[in-house]
Amino acid sequence: MKELLIIAIGSALVNNVVLSQFLGICPFLGVSKKVDTAAGMGGAVVFVITIASLVTSLIYKFILSPLGFEYLQTIVFILIIAALVQFVEMFLKKAMPPLYNALGVYLPLITTNCAVLGVALTNVQKEYSVLQGVINGIGTSVGFLIAIVIMAGIREKIEYNDISESFQGTPIVLVTAALMAIAFCGFSGLI
């Protein structure tokens, strides 16, 4: 149990996928303009990464590895992730049309979000069991959710501040992301 808690905290805070591994930057910067949209994207990423971690771990351990097809892992993982994203996209389009419209082009980008593939490959690389892989996926995706919601909150506050013209737009967002990354370095003493 202690080991699973260390994996979860480590992947969520210490090795945050966005702020320390720099994976998933595109949706992090693109969808973090409003907290509601960021939370929706974070929720979708939590679902996709968690399910992808489970399915990819099972397929790797029970199909690819026993048959000696480990070299196909990247292609198989990408196909699994693409199918999961299609499922999420259909669900959001039917159940939550405002969120679906707000996410726009960034929802299909979860397919190419390197954070999702990164978690699946990390689970294989670190030789996690299926349970450890799922916990790593949950921790990583919750870390993504935390980072994107914090960024969205900061961006909403920045919108009403007087910022010099040279820092308006993308420059201040990148400076904010850099400061958040430095702040998350403080979590390195947790584990």
Side-chain angles (χ1 to χ4, degrees):
M1 187 66 183
K2 180 181 175 185
E3 183 181 349
L4 296 177
L5 186 62
I6 289 173
I7 290 172
I9 291 173
S11 58
L13 299 176
V14 178
N15 298 316
N16 187 285
V17 71
V18 176
L19 300 173
S20 71
Q21 296 178 0
F22 308 111
L23 299 174
I25 297 291
C26 180
F28 174 71
L29 296 177
V31 184
S32 62
K33 293 179 182 167
K34 295 188 182 268
V35 173
D36 296 341
T37 310
M41 173 59 98
V45 168
V46 167
F47 177 78
V48 170
I49 287 181
T50 302
I51 300 300
S53 295
L54 174 66
V55 174
T56 56
S57 292
L58 290 172
I59 288 178
Y60 183 81
K61 293 215 182 291
F62 296 112
I63 296 174
L64 296 179
S65 187
L67 296 175
F69 292 141
E70 292 94 350
Y71 60 91
L72 292 175
Q73 70 186 9
T74 304
I75 295 169
V76 171
F77 292 174
I78 289 172
L79 291 174
I80 291 167
I81 292 165
L84 288 171
V85 171
Q86 287 299 319
F87 173 73
V88 170
E89 189 172 5
M90 290 185 307
F91 174 77
L92 288 179
K93 188 174 186 178
K94 190 77 169 167
M96 302 176 202
L99 179 59
Y100 174 79
N101 292 330
L103 292 175
V105 71
Y106 293 101
L107 186 58
L109 281 178
I110 296 175
T111 302
T112 59
N113 185 344
C114 52
V116 182
L117 181 60
V119 171
L121 294 175
T122 298
N123 291 341
V124 170
Q125 182 183 28
K126 292 188 176 183
E127 298 179 357
Y128 284 155
S129 68
V130 174
L131 178 62
Q132 289 173 326
V134 171
I135 295 297
N136 183 45
I138 292 169
T140 300
S141 57
V142 167
F144 180 87
L145 175 66
I146 291 168
I148 197 168
V149 169
I150 290 172
M151 175 60 98
I154 293 171
R155 285 181 76 172
E156 283 184 357
K157 297 290 183 192
I158 288 174
E159 189 175 322
Y160 301 109
N161 290 336
D162 186 28
I163 298 171
S164 68
E165 190 175 330
S166 61
F167 276 101
Q168 290 179 358
T170 304
I172 194 67
V173 173
L174 293 176
V175 168
T176 303
L179 292 173
M180 285 177 61
I182 292 170
F184 268 68
C185 285
F187 291 120
S188 62
L190 284 177
I191 58 171

